[in-house]
Amino acid sequence: MIRLTSLVPDKSISHRAALLAALSKSDSRIDNFSPAGDCLKTVKALQDLGCPMQMDRCVLTVAARTSEIFAAPSSPIDLGNSGTGMRLLLGVLAGQPIRATLTGDDSLKSRPMDRVAKPLGEMGARIEGTGDRVLAPVTITGARPLKPIRWRLEPASAQVKSAILLAGLYADGETVIEEPVATRDHTERMLTAAGVGVTRAGGEIRLRGGASARLQGLQMRVPDDFSAAAFFIALGLLADRMGGIEMHHVGLNPTRTAFLDTVRLMGGNVTAQVTGEEAGEPVGIVTARPSDLRGIEVPVEWVPNLIDEIPILSILAAAASGRTVVRGARELRVKESDRIKSIVQMVAGFSGSVEEREDGFEITGRVSASGAPLVAKFARFPTFADHRIAMSVLIAAETAGQAVTVDNTDCINTSFPGFFDCLGEIHVQCDRH
Ligand code: S3P
């Protein structure tokens, strides 16, 4: 069994920690803050808005706010590739009576912002972007107090939920969000850790406004990223020669770990043991051992808690015997790339038989003439500048034991700057065995 000693801090939790620390009335120290490009963009954005914060070797220190109101930025704020950064920051800025323009790279500029512009607009913020989908660059003019709203999340989205909750801190009444399918709840947990009550009952989340006054600084350590662990879980399942992979201090929030349930349904030998808690988030040890996987129909209700792991799941499906069906995943069309198209091209390049559907795909695995689980047909793969596609290709190539390159490795830095170091650590330990 190989023990991977370092992964990468959780991206979703790091974004939220920086944003809440910027709003709180006492100092914060966040250990194991993600050095990923996306999270550094959020830190830079908050600095541009006058929030005093410093990042030094994965420790983010944030001084308590001296003013109730952020500084109006003199130029557009660049969120790079990060949908989470842009949507959550819009939620925060909705309650700031200043005007700011947010922009990003080509991928981010093509992703819909209407899903946050609509509820935040009803709360009283003005958000302008291009066309019906309110594409970036978006200009927001916030207001205070905001109006509390009741909002039904359609489609399921933790980013939209979080943007509304962050704006709800500045509303003069109770904000209610109807969430038919629970999505990742890091914002709710962190708000609670910071002293603001958020309740969940019967599919409704409630937050009483005026709550920003109660936000305490955060003293916390960010768990490692389950979504990053998923790539090495896949490697542990597929690469017999490694005898399994183990990772410690991985975030095991149940709204993030549907990938483990999915892998188990495929016959995968994975374990997850909660060993502690950080800022209300369970953390623990994950193991994955070589397994013979079989195709499954992924339960549609699991998809929202599996959404970021679907690219690497498609590689498992290509290596499994039989047919795997993913439906109800239309959201993949508006991620860092059109991930349904990207997945279809990737799997086709690995000897999988794959059919595209409007809201998902179907894969028949193990179809290579040699009988090997995965065989790469090309030496170089397109990534569509999508970090999770790039890493999925590289993990698939690793299990196939083939030297494959991707057309873009820089994109990996948006979520997992240490990815190649982790692969290197695994090689060193494998050689020692
Ligand atoms: C995220 C929520 C998910 C996920 C994204 C991170 C978050 O997006 O795909 O990578 O941190 O809230 P949606 O909420 O749009 O589904």
Side-chain angles (χ1 to χ4, degrees):
M1 175 83 82
I2 287 174
R3 159 105 191 259
L4 191 53
T5 54
S6 72
L7 208 55
V8 67
D10 188 276
K11 180 159 79 74
S12 288
I13 296 175
S14 295
H15 280 300
R16 287 157 172 82
L19 291 163
L20 281 194
L23 296 177
S24 79
K25 60 177 185 191
S26 49
D27 296 350
S28 296
R29 176 188 163 116
I30 298 139
D31 285 279
N32 205 38
F33 187 89
S34 175
D38 278 8
C39 299
L40 297 182
K41 288 283 188 195
T42 293
V43 169
K44 173 76 169 53
L46 290 165
Q47 288 168 335
D48 289 350
L49 289 159
C51 305
M53 52 178 72
Q54 298 301 328
M55 171 85 164
D56 184 12
R57 273 166 292 175
C58 294
V59 179
L60 184 73
T61 45
V62 185
R65 62 170 188 229
T66 48
S67 155
E68 277 290 314
I69 300 189
F70 287 176
S74 50
S75 52
I77 292 176
D78 177 13
L79 275 311
N81 192 243
S82 180
T84 308
M86 184 170 285
R87 295 190 178 117
L88 269 58
L89 187 58
L90 285 170
V92 166
L93 289 173
Q96 296 284 334
I98 56 168
R99 187 181 148 93
T101 298
L102 310 187
T103 189
D105 67 10
D106 288 346
S107 156
L108 187 52
K109 280 195 263 185
S110 72
R111 298 180 64 185
M113 292 299 141
D114 55 329
R115 54 180 61 194
V116 284
K118 281 183 195 146
L120 298 178
E122 283 204 13
M123 293 177 88
R126 213 173 73 228
I127 302 180
E128 289 156 338
T130 306
D132 290 349
R133 296 165 75 223
V134 192
L135 301 182
V138 283
T139 298
I140 178 164
T141 310
R144 197 180 294 177
L146 293 167
K147 292 193 277 285
I149 53 165
R150 168 179 277 274
W151 195 261
R152 187 177 171 82
L153 286 177
E154 194 57 59
S157 166
Q159 294 176 353
V160 176
K161 171 176 66 175
S162 301
I164 299 171
L165 286 173
L166 291 167
L169 292 169
Y170 294 97
D172 58 357
E174 192 178 48
T175 296
V176 183
I177 300 171
E178 296 172 25
E179 191 181 43
V181 186
T183 62
R184 63 187 72 189
D185 62 358
H186 304 304
T187 306
E188 295 93 303
R189 286 172 188 254
M190 202 178 292
L191 281 169
T192 305
V196 173
V198 190
T199 57
R200 179 183 187 100
E204 286 186 359
I205 301 156
R206 291 168 183 269
L207 172 100
R208 191 149 280 290
S212 65
R214 297 196 299 276
L215 272 175
Q216 302 293 335
L218 297 166
Q219 309 295 324
M220 63 177 281
R221 180 180 163 84
V222 176
D224 281 349
D225 200 322
F226 180 82
S227 298
F231 294 103
F232 294 100
I233 292 172
L235 190 58
L237 290 165
L238 296 180
D240 288 348
R241 66 184 186 284
M242 292 176 188
I245 296 183
E246 175 178 299
M247 290 161 278
H248 290 221
H249 198 261
V250 181
L252 290 174
N253 180 319
T255 59
R256 288 284 294 279
T257 53
F259 179 67
L260 292 176
D261 303 320
T262 310
V263 163
R264 285 193 189 107
L265 203 58
M266 297 176 86
N269 184 348
V270 286
T271 65
Q273 187 202 344
V274 175
T275 53
E277 201 180 276
E278 286 290 344
E281 295 280 346
V283 295
I285 303 171
V286 179
T287 65
R289 292 186 169 78
S291 306
D292 278 331
L293 302 177
R294 52 181 182 272
I296 57 161
E297 282 195 21
V298 177
V300 172
E301 65 277 15
W302 290 5
V303 165
N305 294 331
L306 176 66
I307 195 79
D308 290 343
E309 285 65 71
I310 293 180
I312 190 63
L313 174 66
S314 73
I315 295 298
L316 294 181
S321 53
R323 196 171 175 79
T324 294
V325 182
V326 173
R327 304 302 294 263
R330 188 171 281 111
E331 273 299 289
L332 291 174
R333 298 257 177 221
V334 290
K335 293 293 180 189
E336 286 83 329
S337 67
D338 175 341
R339 280 197 179 146
I340 294 184
K341 281 208 178 327
S342 312
I343 285 171
V344 165
Q345 286 216 31
M346 172 174 73
V347 170
F350 276 101
S351 70
S353 157
V354 51
E355 288 165 52
E356 180 173 347
R357 301 277 177 260
E358 184 43 39
D359 64 343
F361 51 82
E362 299 190 15
I363 291 174
T364 305
R366 279 190 183 262
V367 293
S368 76
S370 69
L374 284 173
V375 179
K377 290 187 198 160
F378 318 123
R380 189 174 165 82
F381 277 68
T383 60
F384 313 95
D386 184 331
H387 55 130
R388 298 198 200 281
I389 298 295
M391 289 186 279
S392 299
V393 168
L394 293 167
I395 292 291
E398 189 71 34
T399 66
Q402 289 173 285
V404 162
T405 59
V406 289
D407 67 0
N408 182 336
T409 50
D410 286 351
C411 61
I412 293 174
N413 291 329
T414 65
S415 69
F416 197 168
F419 177 75
F420 288 104
D421 297 333
C422 288
L423 273 183
E425 186 185 352
I426 285 174
H427 288 159
V428 168
Q429 290 197 40
C430 232
D431 292 347
R432 257 196 241 130
H433 277 189

